[in-house]
């Protein structure tokens, strides 16, 4: 079962519900932190520096420090505030620490560097950017050159969004409690959390009952696609129609088509928009170069890769350089793609993947957006942050400041299944369901990988997966392919979209092999 992710709004009532648990949640958390610190320190006599802040994270830190003293570690607590902890368990732990002659300081301790730093400075309740003196303390932790164990969330990282609030700890390991938090796995979170471990503090059943999102990895999706029967034929796996590839961008449509072919679509037809379109794909002649109308007759449609104006040159709404684009109600004309091809695809009764330049077109046309939202057949949209910003009428920074909210809003407005691409790609559905993908690496930050993803989604729809699962399977497979390539020394620098497509085929066959 996929790992659950809870928002702070869900976590707080859950914590309150178990406020009188025995042993208390803070005691359980502190013990877990002490155990994790011992594993990082390795040597029983190692010196451990514990940073205790003003809130519940600081309480967890005091409990952990008291337990670490019991195991004969040399423990120093840097008390960031000098005030008595708010929680009773934390005050008891502070007293127990003092009774055992534990060392407490208000300044960064002199002497040799500790073996491990335990970060209990700030927790999930962070509501504003970190200021002095805590920002300076975070900088000292990061510059110490030793492993940092973060309690629940690295200090300074927004646990909801993955944003760095002014300054944030870069942890080697994060021990998070009760359930995973979205900000640990998206935006800047993965760069600050290190290895994330979960301790549910014994609340497993209660966590299962709470409203939640999910983390998606290979173990979660691999069983969704069954092994192929021996008497299968190409008709069982559908015909995918792909439309795109305007002059200078034919490669985008061909990359999507090749990925779809390698991922198991029965037949792939490509309607290229360029007047200089090649009559055949010389690398994969199995792909049918067809008319746009023939491509639009496929069982599943992927529309948009390389279809028009390059996304990097499409201004955001409100940008001073913004001028009416084709498809904008204020424009007097548009390209053939925007006037006829895209509306025809949207009007079809087939599952539809809208990618790249199709998203730019609908972002500037209320008519097209309304048509997408009113479709009866499943729709999947695949924006990167700049495309998401155009769809929402904001800037990219606003999207990145709360990626989960942005993905859910696009899903709601377009009545579509959405992947907001990036570190910790977020998949969201019109009914409010969501998940965060945990595969992938910076090797995917290169041209063409998005086209490959669009083709993968189309191929999985052709093979019978329902839209939410086809989207998640493709996103997870796409990232896993990049991960295995990097593990073999192919990237992340210089990893190509074509290599990712080939690796997707290899993994897909491993995942669907009969057992």
């Amino acid at each position: 079962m996929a790992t659950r992710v809870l928002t702070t709004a869900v976590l707080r009532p859950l914590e309150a519900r178990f406020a009188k648990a025995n042993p208390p949640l803070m005691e359980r958390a502190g013990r877990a932190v002490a155990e994790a610190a011992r594993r990082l320190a390795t040597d029983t006599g190692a010196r451990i520096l514990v940073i205790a802040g003003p809130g519940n994270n600081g309480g967890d830190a005091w409990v952990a420090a008291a337990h670490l003293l019991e195991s004969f570690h040399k423990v120093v607590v840097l008390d960031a505030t000098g005030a008595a902890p708010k929680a009773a368990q934390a005050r008891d732990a502070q007293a127990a620490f003092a009774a055992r002659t534990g060392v407490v300081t208000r300044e960064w301790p002199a002497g040799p560097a500790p073996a491990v730093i335990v970060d209990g400075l700030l927790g999930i309740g962070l509501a504003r950017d970190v200021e002095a003196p805590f920002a300076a303390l975070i900088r000292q932790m990061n510059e110490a050159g030793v492993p940092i164990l973060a309690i629940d969330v690295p200090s300074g990282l927004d646990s909801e969004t993955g944003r760095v609030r002014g300054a944030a700890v870069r942890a080697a390991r994060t021990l998070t409690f009760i359930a995973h938090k979205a900000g640990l796995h998206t935006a800047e979170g993965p760069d600050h959390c290190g290895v994330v471990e979960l301790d549910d503090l014994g609340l497993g059943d209660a966590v299962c009952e709470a409203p939640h999102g999910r983390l998606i990895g290979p173990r979660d999706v691999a069983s969704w696609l069954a092994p192929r029967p021996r008497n299968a034929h190409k008709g069982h796996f559908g015909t995918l129609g792909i439309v795109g590839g305007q002059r200078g961008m034919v490669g985008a449509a061909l990359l999507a088509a090749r990925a779809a072919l390698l991922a198991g679509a029965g037949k792939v037809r490509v309607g290229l928009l360029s007047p200089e379109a090649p009559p055949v794909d010389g690398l994969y002649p199995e792909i049918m170069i067809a008319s746009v109308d023939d491509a639009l007759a496929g069982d599943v449609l992927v529309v948009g890769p390389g279809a028009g104006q390059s996304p990097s040159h499409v201004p955001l709404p409100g940008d001073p350089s913004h001028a009416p684009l084709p498809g904008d109600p204020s424009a007097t004309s548009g390209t053939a793609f925007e006037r006829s091809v895209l509306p025809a695809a949207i009007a079809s009764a087939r599952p539809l993947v809208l990618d790249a330049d199709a998203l730019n077109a609908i972002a500037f046309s209320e008519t097209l957006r309304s048509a997408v939202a009113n479709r009866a057949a499943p729709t999947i949209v695949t924006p990167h942050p700049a495309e998401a910003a155009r769809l929402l009428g904001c800037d990219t920074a606003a999207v990145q400041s709360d990626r989960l909210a942005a993905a859910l809003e696009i899903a709601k407005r377009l009545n579509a299944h959405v992947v907001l691409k990036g570190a910790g790609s977020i998949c969201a559905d019109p009914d409010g369901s969501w998940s965060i993908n945990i595969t992938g690496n910076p090797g995917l930050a290169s041209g063409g990988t998005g086209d490959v993803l669009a083709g993968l989604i189309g191929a999985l729809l052709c093979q019978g997966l329902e839209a939410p699962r086809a989207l998640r399977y493709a996103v997870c497979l796409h990232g896993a392919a990049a991960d295995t390539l990097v593990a073999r020394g192919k990237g992340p620098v210089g990893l190509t979209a074509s290599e990712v497509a080939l690796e997707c085929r290899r993994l897909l066959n491993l995942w669907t092999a009969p057992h």
Side-chain angles (χ1 to χ4, degrees):
M1 185 173 292
T3 304
R4 288 163 172 78
V5 186
L6 301 189
T7 63
T8 303
V10 175
L11 276 166
R12 291 305 194 202
L14 198 57
E15 290 173 334
R17 178 180 162 191
F18 289 92
K20 296 182 180 179
N22 187 21
L25 296 185
M26 187 171 287
E27 174 64 23
R28 301 180 194 186
R31 283 184 178 274
V33 170
E35 285 299 323
R38 289 184 190 109
R39 292 194 299 271
L40 271 181
T42 64
D43 180 4
T44 301
R47 184 167 175 254
I48 297 176
L49 175 62
V50 177
I51 312 294
N56 285 342
N57 260 38
D60 297 339
W62 280 110
V63 175
H67 285 297
L68 285 167
L69 268 187
E70 292 175 358
S71 58
F72 305 105
H73 284 84
K74 299 173 183 175
V75 184
V76 176
V77 175
L78 195 163
D79 185 352
T81 65
K86 296 177 182 178
Q89 304 99 295
R91 290 194 297 271
D92 291 344
Q94 186 184 48
F97 186 79
R100 294 181 63 91
T101 65
V103 178
V104 180
T105 180
R106 292 296 315 284
E107 305 290 338
W108 192 267
V116 173
I117 296 172
V118 176
D119 166 30
L121 182 62
L122 300 167
I124 64 173
L126 186 63
R128 61 180 184 274
D129 285 357
V130 181
E131 300 174 346
F134 288 175
L137 192 48
I138 287 173
R139 185 175 63 253
Q140 286 177 299
M141 283 192 265
N142 289 336
E143 293 175 353
V146 301
I148 301 173
L149 170 65
I151 298 177
D152 212 15
V153 60
S155 293
L157 184 74
D158 190 314
S159 64
E160 294 281 277
T161 67
R163 290 172 56 205
V164 169
R165 303 299 303 264
V169 163
R170 288 186 175 270
R173 193 169 299 269
T174 298
L175 178 61
T176 199
F177 300 127
I178 301 178
H180 285 265
K181 289 82 181 172
L184 305 181
H185 300 283
T186 194
E188 295 171 283
D191 285 323
H192 285 264
C193 293
V195 177
V196 179
E197 295 181 356
L198 171 68
D199 190 315
D200 68 7
L201 304 183
L203 307 189
D205 290 342
V207 173
C208 292
E209 296 165 2
H212 59 268
R214 297 177 182 273
L215 298 182
I216 295 295
R219 289 184 299 177
D220 305 303
V221 307
S223 64
W224 291 354
L225 201 63
R228 294 188 168 188
R230 292 177 65 86
N231 68 342
H233 59 78
K234 63 187 177 184
H236 288 143
F237 309 116
T239 298
L240 179 63
I242 298 175
V243 178
Q246 189 52 270
R247 179 186 282 115
M249 292 179 282
V250 168
L254 291 182
L255 278 169
R258 293 171 182 179
L261 184 73
L262 292 167
K267 294 187 286 184
V268 181
R269 292 180 183 150
V270 184
L272 293 172
L273 300 172
S274 172
E276 294 92 15
V280 66
D281 182 339
L283 186 61
Y284 288 99
E286 301 88 348
I287 294 170
M288 294 174 280
I289 307 298
S291 68
V292 169
D293 286 344
D294 282 346
L296 290 176
D299 300 315
V300 174
L301 306 180
V302 173
V303 177
Q309 191 170 1
S310 171
S312 64
H313 297 110
V314 179
L316 295 168
D319 190 302
S321 65
H322 174 64
L325 296 174
D328 191 316
S330 62
T332 57
S333 64
T335 66
F337 173 72
E338 291 160 328
R339 289 195 313 269
S340 58
V341 175
L342 184 54
I346 294 170
S348 75
R350 298 169 175 83
L352 173 63
V353 180
L354 293 171
D355 181 53
D357 297 312
L359 301 178
N360 292 322
I362 68 175
F364 291 97
S365 170
E366 185 177 348
T367 300
L368 291 177
R369 289 196 301 275
S370 178
V372 171
N374 288 312
R375 294 189 80 240
T379 307
I380 293 175
V381 299
T382 61
H384 57 53
E387 290 161 347
R390 295 179 192 112
L391 290 169
L392 293 172
C394 63
D395 60 25
T396 305
V399 170
Q400 291 293 77
S401 71
D402 195 339
R403 288 170 49 80
L404 176 57
L408 287 167
E409 183 62 22
I410 293 171
K412 179 181 177 181
R413 290 189 189 183
L414 296 181
N415 186 32
H417 306 278
V418 178
V419 55
L420 177 54
K421 296 182 285 194
S425 290
I426 295 176
C427 299
D429 305 307
D431 65 1
S433 302
W434 55 276
S435 58
I436 302 176
N437 179 55
I438 61 172
T439 66
N441 60 65
L444 293 173
S446 65
T449 57
D451 304 311
V452 167
L453 176 60
L456 294 177
I457 297 168
L460 292 166
L461 287 167
C462 280
Q463 292 169 79
L465 285 185
E466 294 183 352
R469 285 194 165 190
L471 175 62
R472 287 160 172 79
Y473 197 116
V475 170
C476 183
L477 176 65
H478 188 246
D483 289 341
T484 56
L485 286 166
V486 168
R488 297 205 302 271
K490 296 183 178 181
V493 176
L495 188 64
T496 68
S498 295
E499 290 172 315
V500 172
L502 286 165
E503 185 68 6
C504 284
R505 177 177 65 179
R506 188 184 74 85
L507 287 182
L508 188 59
N509 280 288
L510 284 176
W511 292 3
T512 58
H515 297 294

